[in-house]
Amino acid sequence: DYVFEGPGLNIFLTLITCGIFGLYLFYQLMRRDQDHLRRRYDLFDAANTYAWERANAAGLADELRPAFERNANHLEVMRRQTTEFRDPGIWLIISIFAGGIAQIVGFVFIDQDLDTHDRTEGALEDELATIYARLGKSLPRPDPSRVKGKHSYPARIIVTILTCGVYFYWWLYDMQVEGNQHVVGSWPFEDALVLAVS
């Protein structure tokens, strides 16, 4: 996963380059959103498939079938997210011509993606922890408090307008930090999953 180093420095570079560096940041935000959604879907799909194979081999398939059926619904939500229009190159071109408006729309999409994705993968992590425990493997339970909830988009847009765009830079900083927290927070589960299937 892409992690932004020095979000505050990135804002400073955006200011001194008259917004040019901000285009690079926006591209990376959209790229991280797209790549992370696809990678996590592939990971959970593979973890679920492996668990189903092990459950069948252990004669536990019927017992665990309801959990796998719930996982199928969660995985479908994640799969649909990977098909949404988030191509970073095209969004960059739109941003060059539409300016801050396109970036604000992109921020809203990224935040909505993160909220839906975090809730869905939390449900998947919980189900997989139950399934893997029955298979004799330990996985950590998700922390419900990690779900941050959606931004108040109308309020952020109004404040951006009232501050003549100054608040936009805080929003850009916030998008970097929140995404960093999410991707880094997902790594311990992945490490535990690697150990469980080894």
Side-chain angles (χ1 to χ4, degrees), residues 47-149:
N48 194 60
T49 300
Y50 174 81
W52 177 247
E53 292 170 356
R54 300 302 301 162
N56 274 289
L60 298 170
D62 289 338
E63 175 188 336
L64 294 173
R65 190 179 303 277
F68 282 108
E69 289 174 350
R70 289 190 292 272
N71 278 355
N73 292 330
H74 299 316
L75 283 167
E76 177 57 21
V77 172
M78 293 187 80
R79 187 199 65 77
R80 285 199 305 269
Q81 282 197 290
T82 67
T83 65
E84 292 176 353
F85 176 53
R86 300 292 184 269
D87 183 274
I90 296 176
W91 272 100
L92 175 61
I93 294 171
I94 294 171
S95 176
I96 290 171
F97 288 99
I101 295 173
Q103 293 184 27
I104 287 173
V105 172
F107 291 171
V108 171
F109 283 162
I110 291 170
D111 187 67
Q112 290 175 340
D113 288 347
L114 179 58
D115 181 70
T116 301
H117 171 74
D118 202 12
R119 293 176 192 278
T120 305
E121 72 175 7
L124 275 164
E125 288 175 6
D126 192 55
E127 294 288 358
L128 287 173
T130 300
I131 292 169
Y132 275 74
R134 189 68 182 89
L135 297 173
K137 303 292 184 180
S138 177
L139 291 177
R141 296 281 179 178
D143 178 8
S145 66
R146 78 182 193 189
V147 179
K148 67 173 190 62

Side-chain angles (χ1 to χ4, degrees), residues 4 25-33 110 172 175:
F4 288 89
L25 291 181
F26 181 63
Y27 172 85
Q28 292 292 13
L29 284 167
M30 295 302 295
R31 184 174 73 86
R32 175 170 69 180
D33 183 48
I110 291 170
L172 179 58
M175 296 300 294

